[in-house]
Amino acid sequence: MNKSKRPFTKSKRSFRRRLPPIQSGDRIDYRNMSLISRFISEQGKILSRRVNRVTLKQQRLISIAIKQARILSLLPFLNNQKQFER
């Protein structure tokens, strides 16, 4: 019996490590709209930490920054504009 030919071998898939969404130089605050808008859904909701792939500390800072931007009316609280077709 030849051991080199195994029928049930796992294929070695190479996967590329995902880059973190927040680099070390990025400031998480309400003025950084390009950064904050990445963590908001189409409806204007804050995305969860699993979806964002950020740490717990970063997620807290993101949510605080989004809430501050909403209060200062830089971001909408809701984005439920429906297009009416007639």
Side-chain angles (χ1 to χ4, degrees), residues 1 4 7 11 23 30 42-44 52 56 71 75 83 85:
M1 198 182 251
S4 64
S11 64
Q23 272 67 38
Y30 66 93
E42 290 289 318
Q43 292 84 27
N52 289 341
L56 182 62
I71 289 168
L75 283 174
Q83 305 295 325
E85 296 174 12

Side-chain angles (χ1 to χ4, degrees), residues 9-85:
T9 57
K10 278 191 177 179
S11 64
K12 294 193 175 186
R13 286 187 290 161
S14 64
F15 65 95
R16 194 168 59 96
R17 230 185 124 97
R18 260 188 143 176
L19 292 172
I22 299 175
Q23 272 67 38
S24 60
D26 288 339
R27 295 273 305 140
I28 304 173
D29 61 346
Y30 66 93
R31 289 170 286 175
N32 196 348
M33 294 304 296
S34 60
L35 179 73
I36 287 176
S37 58
R38 281 189 262 165
F39 303 108
I40 297 176
S41 69
E42 290 289 318
Q43 292 84 27
K45 295 181 179 179
I46 301 172
L47 293 174
S48 70
R49 195 177 139 225
R50 277 183 299 165
V51 176
N52 289 341
R53 303 259 174 137
V54 293
T55 63
L56 182 62
K57 193 173 184 180
Q58 288 172 337
Q59 180 70 18
R60 283 197 197 114
L61 290 170
I62 288 166
S63 62
I64 289 168
I66 289 171
K67 289 170 187 177
Q68 285 175 339
R70 284 174 177 168
I71 289 168
L72 294 170
S73 68
L74 299 172
L75 283 174
F77 280 94
L78 289 173
N79 193 10
N80 55 1
Q81 299 171 354
K82 294 194 170 118
Q83 305 295 325
F84 294 107
E85 296 174 12

